């Protein structure tokens, strides 16, 4: 069994990266990440779909040579120019000098600006254009802002194979197998929430548009640029992406807090307990000082409730709380029930600052924001109870 052959004449030639600590310099990779590339062999021509991060060029070229047996490649289709996928273009071009690089007009501009490639090296295609490989044809769908302006998808009509770029991707290196039929994919779904919420979330509207373009199109395999190739689980993956693109959360509450000496943490624990007492089954408590915001964003994307708390710091927000709020604003999070609490020793302002930061987001504030003075008193416990009760009523509908 050739595990790299996805279906007749279509091969996986990607690579794993288990060395990079932070994707985009920011996002932790506890399971690593794969940079996926694919080879489509027609009767007359051969096309490569995307490349890989420059750090993996040597392995990438070796993987291709193993599949082609040294035969040539005619086209490199660039669905996405972000350097985790375009970074090996120079290496590919050096190995296959006659190859045409295929992209749209925005791709062409980036090829010039990133790699100095233009003129005869580049072939520009538009929405609906096709390239015949002999028995297999590539059809191009422009899907801008998923999640860069030049992003497009490539579809092999004869086999129902969609090369979807970052859409339907997830963090997590591959462990031998490539297609979801070959292994247990359970561990990839949390990494899908994290990948989407960290990288793509701001562009949900464009993800919805892209998904709509394939209504009624026969798709047997979804080959994204990161993570497993989807076959058996296409419906589940498309559903997850559709819900995330609409910011549709399932019932549950993330309690995201920071605490300097443990007093604000007591509020968070009390709120969590009260949520549970009120029948919220999914309560996820995160200390923002010890959990990277990447993981917190994933659960905020997953659940419909959020309560943020933190101490007053320099007459404003605690830095880790500010970081989370900035991440929410940058991604234009919406459709969430949100509550907040704060604390301070002499002039607490944090709940007011948290509320102020949330202004402009399409979220519904729930309960009364409050600030604790120094440490937990009976009145604070009552406020925790009231906030949790109001939130539970919202998230559980
Ligand atoms: Fe995996 Fe948008 O690059």
């Amino acid at each position: 069994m050739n595990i790299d052959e996805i279906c007749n004449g279509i091969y996986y030639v990607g690579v794993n990266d288990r060395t990079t600590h932070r994707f985009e310099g920011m996002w932790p990779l506890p399971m690593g990440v794969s940079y996926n590339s694919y080879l489509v062999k027609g009767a007359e021509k051969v096309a490569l779909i995307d490349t890989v991060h420059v750090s993996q060029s040597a392995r990438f070229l070796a993987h291709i040579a193993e599949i082609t047996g040294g035969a040539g490649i005619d086209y490199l289709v660039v669905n996405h120019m972000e350097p985790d996928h375009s970074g090996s273009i120079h290496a590919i071009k050096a190995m296959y000098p006659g190859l045409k690089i295929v992209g749209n007009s925005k791709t062409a501009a980036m090829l010039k600006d990133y790699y100095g490639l233009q003129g005869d090296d580049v072939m520009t295609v538009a929405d609906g254009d096709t390239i015949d490989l002999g028995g297999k044809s590539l059809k191009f769908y422009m899907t801008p802002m998923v999640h860069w302006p030049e992003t497009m998808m490539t579809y092999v009509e004869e086999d129902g194979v969609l090369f979807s770029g970052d859409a339907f991707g997830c963090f997590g290196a591959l462990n031998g197998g490539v297609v979801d039929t070959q292994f247990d994919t359970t561990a990839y779904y949390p990494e899908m929430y994290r990948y989407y919420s960290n990288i793509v979330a701001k562009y949900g509207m464009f993800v919805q548009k892209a998904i709509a373009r394939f209504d009624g199109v026969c798709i047997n395999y979804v080959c994204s640029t990161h993570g497993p190739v989807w076959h058996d689980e296409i419906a589940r993956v498309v559903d997850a992406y559709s819900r995330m693109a609409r910011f549709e959360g399932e019932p549950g509450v993330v309690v995201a807090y920071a605490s300097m000496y443990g007093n604000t943490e007591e509020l968070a624990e009390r709120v969590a307990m009260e949520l549970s007492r009120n029948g919220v089954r999914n309560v996820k408590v995160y200390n923002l000082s010890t959990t990277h915001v990447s993981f917190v964003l994933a659960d905020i994307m997953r659940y419909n409730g959020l309560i943020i708390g933190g101490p007053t710091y320099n007459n404003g927000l605690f830095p880790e709380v500010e970081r989370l709020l900035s991440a929410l604003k940058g991604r234009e999070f919406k459709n969430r029930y949100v509550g907040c609490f704060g604390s301070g020793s002499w002039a607490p302002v944090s709940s007011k600052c948290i509320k102020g930061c949330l202004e402009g987001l399409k979220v519904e504030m729930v309960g009364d924001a409050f600030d604790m003075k120094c440490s937990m008193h009976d009145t604070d416990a009552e406020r925790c109870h009231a906030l949790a009760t109001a939130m539970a009523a919202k998230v559980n509908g």
Side-chain angles (χ1 to χ4, degrees), residues 23-24 80 82 84-85 147-148 166 195 199 225-226:
F23 190 79
E24 292 186 346
H80 185 17
E82 196 161 6
D84 52 332
H85 309 298
H147 64 282
W148 275 24
D166 283 344
Y195 173 78
I199 311 292
T225 44
H226 299 289

Side-chain angles (χ1 to χ4, degrees), residues 9-140:
I10 299 182
Y11 299 85
Y12 179 79
V13 288
V15 294
N16 288 312
D17 180 351
R18 302 181 204 274
T19 305
T20 298
H21 285 268
R22 295 278 167 107
F23 190 79
E24 292 186 346
M26 281 184 284
W27 314 111
L29 293 170
M31 288 172 55
V33 66
S34 69
Y35 310 118
N36 297 346
S37 169
Y38 305 92
L39 204 67
V40 183
K41 284 186 184 176
E44 291 151 24
K45 305 274 187 187
V46 175
L48 181 66
I49 314 289
D50 289 314
T51 75
V52 304
H53 194 285
V54 67
S55 64
Q56 304 292 328
S57 293
R59 281 189 197 169
F60 177 51
L61 292 175
H63 199 169
I64 291 171
E66 201 179 313
I67 301 295
T68 60
I73 296 177
D74 302 283
Y75 302 105
L76 165 62
V77 175
V78 179
N79 279 334
H80 185 17
M81 275 296 294
E82 196 161 6
D84 52 332
H85 309 298
S86 68
S88 294
I89 283 181
H90 273 315
I92 282 290
K93 191 72 181 142
M95 184 69 81
Y96 304 96
L99 148 159
K100 286 272 186 210
I101 303 175
V102 180
N104 56 59
S105 57
K106 290 192 171 69
T107 320
M110 289 188 186
L111 282 167
K112 178 169 177 283
D113 292 341
Y114 266 113
Y115 303 111
L117 291 162
Q118 57 186 322
D120 286 348
D121 287 331
V122 179
M123 176 177 168
T124 304
V125 293
D127 193 68
D129 283 356
T130 58
I131 292 179
D132 185 9
L133 303 179
K136 289 190 192 299
S137 56
L138 306 176
K139 183 173 181 181
F140 304 104

Side-chain angles (χ1 to χ4, degrees), residues 360-374:
L361 289 184
K362 291 178 182 162
V363 298
E364 180 179 333
M365 295 306 296
V366 173
D368 293 326
F370 66 93
D371 284 293
M372 173 182 77
K373 202 94 174 272
C374 295

